[in-house]
Amino acid sequence: ISPYNKKPPRCCYRDGFFYFSIMTVSKLKVLTPTTGRCFILGEANQKVNTLWMVLHGYGQSASDFIQNFSDLADDNTLVAAPEGLHRFYLKSTRGKVGASWMTKEEREDDIRNNIQYLNQTLGQLVEKTTPDIHIIVVGFSQGAPTAFRWAAQLDQNISMLISWGSDIPADVLSDPIGLDKINRSNTHLVVGSQDQYITEERLYNHLHDLDNAECAYDLISYNGDHSIHTETLRFLLKKLEGELFD
């Protein structure tokens, strides 16, 4: 076979000329079932009237994160910490593993996957409890945008919705249906005065955006860093109990 009858490789030299073959890269999206995991404090049964859904931040594990809420669980209260579907080694290729909710890559797909995953998680939990269960949603750091996007489409009422050390995403604020759900969910913005990620300028600008969007919220500030502050959590619990059970 003459070499002239062959397709040239990606780059070759022939008859005094370089020939380049440019390959076109395409993308195939594949829908596939996946398995998430959720760590739970307490037992889901008919005695439970309060459910805390707590979403961790970037690089955290749900099993560690849920320990921040260990004081909340009792015979009537269940705490559930779903874990982000993207797990990875925090350092190198071994050792401690953390999880993420999404990245900038295929963002819309991750948002849809997270919503479906959290809907299924909630469904499995509430089917074992009382029909009129009170649902509290906490999103910490990267978990807050995921929590609010999820909460915005929920049919169930939310007794308290908390963004801790993070923002309420702009796409929720700009959606009339999502914003209406947020405004009916007893929304709280919790920020530490020493949070290294929430500067004064960032907080000021975000509050300005919330006010422009006519978002109803309570701002809670505490003397602390980018973490779940125990005393502030207790304050929110007392506030919630006063609203629900007094």
Side-chain angles (χ1 to χ4, degrees), residues 131-177:
D132 56 347
I133 189 170
H134 300 290
I135 301 172
I136 300 94
V137 179
V138 181
F140 172 70
S141 196
Q142 192 203 37
T146 296
F148 273 72
R149 291 186 179 108
W150 171 56
Q153 56 80 58
L154 271 181
D155 292 331
Q156 294 95 329
N157 291 327
I158 299 175
S159 299
M160 185 176 282
L161 178 58
I162 302 169
S163 170
W164 197 308
S166 188
D167 302 332
I168 299 173
D171 50 284
V172 172
L173 297 176
S174 62
D175 175 30
I177 296 176

Side-chain angles (χ1 to χ4, degrees), residues 26-171:
S26 60
K27 178 170 63 176
L28 173 67
K29 290 192 175 184
V30 180
L31 292 175
T32 180
T34 187
T35 302
R37 60 182 186 178
C38 179
F39 293 87
I40 301 169
L41 289 172
E43 182 179 352
N45 54 44
Q46 292 296 310
K47 295 181 180 179
V48 172
N49 57 27
T50 304
L51 169 63
W52 289 70
M53 294 284 288
V54 297
L55 276 60
H56 63 80
Y58 177 82
Q60 295 182 312
S61 68
S63 58
D64 289 340
F65 183 67
I66 199 172
Q67 300 305 322
N68 293 294
F69 304 88
S70 58
D71 290 344
L72 303 181
D74 56 30
D75 290 343
N76 305 117
T77 303
L78 195 68
V79 181
E83 188 165 79
L85 296 174
H86 307 279
R87 288 189 289 272
F88 58 95
Y89 289 111
L90 297 179
K91 293 182 180 180
S92 186
T93 57
R94 64 184 65 187
K96 191 171 179 60
V97 173
S100 168
W101 291 101
M102 60 184 293
T103 67
K104 65 180 181 180
E105 294 288 334
E106 309 296 349
R107 178 176 175 273
E108 296 302 321
D109 289 336
D110 283 342
I111 290 174
R112 284 191 294 270
N113 291 340
N114 286 333
I115 288 175
Q116 183 179 18
Y117 163 48
L118 294 172
N119 281 343
Q120 292 180 2
T121 303
L122 179 65
Q124 291 189 35
L125 291 170
V126 299
E127 70 180 5
K128 301 175 182 178
T129 63
T130 55
D132 56 347
I133 189 170
H134 300 290
I135 301 172
I136 300 94
V137 179
V138 181
F140 172 70
S141 196
Q142 192 203 37
T146 296
F148 273 72
R149 291 186 179 108
W150 171 56
Q153 56 80 58
L154 271 181
D155 292 331
Q156 294 95 329
N157 291 327
I158 299 175
S159 299
M160 185 176 282
L161 178 58
I162 302 169
S163 170
W164 197 308
S166 188
D167 302 332
I168 299 173
D171 50 284

Side-chain angles (χ1 to χ4, degrees), residues 176-222:
I177 296 176
L179 179 60
D180 178 66
K181 183 59 181 288
I182 300 306
N183 285 344
R184 292 184 287 109
S185 298
N186 193 11
T187 297
H188 287 67
L189 196 67
V190 182
V191 181
S193 59
Q194 301 171 41
D195 191 317
Q196 61 269 38
Y197 299 106
I198 310 294
T199 63
E200 289 186 12
E201 180 181 5
R202 177 178 171 181
L203 178 60
Y204 174 84
N205 290 335
H206 187 52
L207 295 181
H208 180 70
D209 292 340
L210 295 180
D211 293 339
N212 283 343
E214 298 184 350
C215 178
Y217 66 93
D218 285 343
L219 176 63
I220 306 294
S221 181
Y222 62 92

Side-chain angles (χ1 to χ4, degrees), residues 11-26:
C11 178
C12 70
Y13 180 80
R14 189 173 66 208
D15 296 337
F17 295 94
F18 284 100
Y19 293 84
F20 294 90
S21 176
I22 300 175
M23 304 296 292
T24 300
V25 178
S26 60

